Amino acid sequence: MKPKNIVFVGKSIDNYIAGKNGELDWLDMIPNPDQLDMGYNNLMDEIDAIVMGRTSFKTVLGFDIEWPYKKQVFVLSRSLKTVPKNIEDKVTLIKGDENEVLETIHKKGFNKLYIDGGKVVQNFLKQDLIDELRLTTIPIVLGDGISLFEALPKSLEFEHVKTEVFYNEIVQSCYKRKR
Amino acid sequence: MKPKNIVFVGKSIDNYIAGKNGELDWLDMIPNPDQLDMGYNNLMDEIDAIVMGRTSFKTVLGFDIEWPYKKQVFVLSRSLKTVPKNIEDKVTLIKGDENEVLETIHKKGFNKLYIDGGKVVQNFLKQDLIDELRLTTIPIVLGDGISLFEALPKSLEFEHVKTEVFYNEIVQSCYKRKR
């Protein structure tokens, strides 16, 4: 199966994915009475594994919920040594540069990957390793926070795949890298 | 007539409005065989005047074309002293902070304004003076350049008005400030 790296993320109009102190409350500012998953379940069905950084991993651990992922999670971290006992079989710590990490993950048979977390997405973009961007825009100019994008060594052309609007407020655009 | 400040701008997925050296060629990377104006003519009919900074003004002057605006143009600049003779009646130089500038322009009877140019838009956003954002996204991650947004002192909530997709590639979303 051809490898593919997908970004799926909620963002503000000004492309922040979290507030300055990691605030995520604004992501829910538009009520979701129909509990639409806005493509999340499709994504989860489609992928083989999730790749995230230490910060996203800690954030998920900090939510007072059961471990939310059915798919294998790879956590990119130089500093983490262990994961909590109850999710030891679900989480793999991994380190190295983006290409090495992908090689390791592909060798284990995981090809379609959900790339999550600000820093990880930025580093993958820098290496032109992102194949799909699925960006969900909340109608707020956040003004400050953790950016989805930072400067890249070169421009990356995408093709627009589709745009959907949820509740006439939330705009989701999907893009595929032109190669 | 109630004053209104509208931003209408083409941008990359990563919210650049021009390249590092002012490059605008990527704005035309999607062919426009039907010469769609993508809301530009409607905007021009709707507004009373255009407000832009010195950089945008110089850029327009640099295009080898006739003066393109039918509506009065106010150029925000501390340094400019004169405008070319042939557009003297079409262009007004103006200085001061954003609120002073608006007061002056409104007193002259211009209420619905098209706010153009990176720095000017950012300064208006900082003062929460933007009422509508009409953002046209070209399917490219530009990687570097002149940003549409920079850090703001506070978040600004908008409501989504409509999203249109042109040529299945260009996504235009219009937002109205929630007040």
Side-chain angles (χ1 to χ4, degrees):
Chain A
M1 221 203 304
K2 212 171 157 250
K4 182 152 89 172
N5 299 322
I6 305 169
V7 170
F8 177 94
V9 71
K11 65 169 196 70
S12 63
I13 295 172
D14 47 348
N15 282 343
Y16 292 110
I17 57 171
K20 225 174 8 184
N21 304 305
E23 299 90 334
L24 296 172
D25 52 315
W26 54 276
L27 281 170
D28 300 315
M29 66 176 242
I30 304 299
N32 186 355
D34 306 331
Q35 297 193 280
L36 299 180
D37 73 287
M38 302 183 202
Y40 183 79
N41 292 329
N42 271 346
L43 173 75
M44 285 298 153
D45 288 345
E46 191 179 342
I47 58 161
D48 303 322
I50 300 162
V51 179
M52 63 173 67
R54 189 174 54 93
T55 311
S56 302
F57 180 55
K58 293 269 186 194
T59 303
V60 177
L61 286 182
F63 296 146
D64 192 17
I65 53 169
E66 271 192 58
W67 184 245
Y69 302 112
K70 291 199 188 103
K71 299 292 170 93
Q72 191 67 22
V73 172
F74 292 90
V75 177
L76 284 179
S77 172
R78 276 171 184 79
S79 59
L80 281 180
K81 300 279 178 263
T82 58
V83 301
K85 274 267 178 242
N86 61 318
I87 51 169
E88 258 181 353
D89 56 332
K90 299 186 172 75
V91 176
T92 309
L93 297 175
I94 188 164
K95 56 187 161 191
D97 85 8
E98 291 68 31
N99 284 293
E100 289 165 10
V101 160
L102 281 181
E103 209 186 312
T104 307
I105 296 175
H106 294 160
K107 272 191 189 150
K108 290 177 193 279
F110 302 99
N111 290 298
K112 296 210 186 300
L113 306 176
Y114 166 25
I115 310 298
D116 195 23
K119 207 69 210 160
V120 176
V121 170
Q122 288 177 352
N123 288 338
F124 271 68
L125 278 170
K126 270 183 204 160
Q127 308 266 357
D128 192 7
L129 292 171
I130 296 299
D131 300 293
E132 287 192 28
L133 291 171
R134 303 182 186 178
L135 307 178
T136 307
T137 303
I138 309 300
I140 187 171
V141 173
L142 203 60
D144 206 351
I146 298 166
S147 262
L148 174 55
F149 297 102
E150 61 173 14
L152 299 183
K154 61 165 190 163
S155 295
L156 307 173
E157 286 187 28
F158 282 78
E159 49 189 289
H160 172 260
V161 176
K162 66 171 178 179
T163 288
E164 280 181 89
V165 181
F166 303 104
Y167 299 115
N168 195 32
E169 285 288 5
I170 298 171
V171 180
Q172 184 177 75
S173 289
C174 301
Y175 296 98
K176 204 195 285 189
R177 177 79 172 102
K178 254 187 177 167
R179 304 220 187 249
Chain B
M1 220 203 304
K2 211 171 158 250
K4 181 151 90 171
N5 299 323
I6 306 169
V7 170
F8 177 94
V9 72
K11 64 170 197 70
S12 63
I13 295 172
D14 48 349
N15 283 343
Y16 292 109
I17 57 171
K20 229 180 357 192
N21 304 305
E23 299 91 334
L24 296 170
D25 51 315
W26 54 276
L27 282 170
D28 300 315
M29 65 177 241
I30 304 300
N32 185 357
D34 305 332
Q35 297 192 281
L36 299 180
D37 73 287
M38 301 182 203
Y40 183 78
N41 292 329
N42 272 346
L43 173 74
M44 285 299 151
D45 288 344
E46 190 178 341
I47 57 161
D48 303 323
I50 300 160
V51 179
M52 63 174 68
R54 189 174 53 93
T55 312
S56 302
F57 180 56
K58 292 270 185 192
T59 303
V60 177
L61 287 182
F63 294 147
D64 192 17
I65 52 167
E66 271 191 58
W67 184 246
Y69 303 113
K70 292 200 188 101
K71 300 292 170 92
Q72 192 66 25
V73 172
F74 292 90
V75 177
L76 284 177
S77 172
R78 277 172 184 79
S79 59
L80 281 180
K81 300 281 176 261
T82 57
V83 300
K85 273 269 176 239
N86 60 318
I87 51 168
E88 258 180 354
D89 56 331
K90 299 186 171 75
V91 176
T92 308
L93 297 176
I94 189 164
K95 55 188 162 190
D97 85 7
E98 291 69 31
N99 284 293
E100 289 165 10
V101 160
L102 281 181
E103 210 186 310
T104 307
I105 297 175
H106 294 159
K107 272 192 190 150
K108 290 176 193 278
F110 302 99
N111 290 296
K112 296 211 185 301
L113 306 176
Y114 166 24
I115 310 298
D116 195 23
K119 207 69 209 162
V120 176
V121 170
Q122 288 178 353
N123 289 337
F124 271 68
L125 278 169
K126 270 184 204 160
Q127 308 266 355
D128 193 8
L129 292 171
I130 296 299
D131 301 293
E132 288 192 27
L133 290 171
R134 304 183 186 177
L135 307 178
T136 306
T137 304
I138 308 300
I140 186 171
V141 174
L142 203 59
D144 205 351
I146 298 166
S147 262
L148 174 56
F149 297 102
E150 60 173 14
L152 299 182
K154 61 165 189 162
S155 295
L156 307 173
E157 285 188 27
F158 282 78
E159 49 189 290
H160 173 260
V161 177
K162 65 171 178 178
T163 289
E164 280 180 89
V165 181
F166 302 104
Y167 299 115
N168 195 31
E169 285 288 6
I170 298 173
V171 181
Q172 184 177 75
S173 289
C174 301
Y175 296 98
K176 205 195 286 187
R177 177 79 173 102
K178 253 187 178 166
R179 306 225 186 244

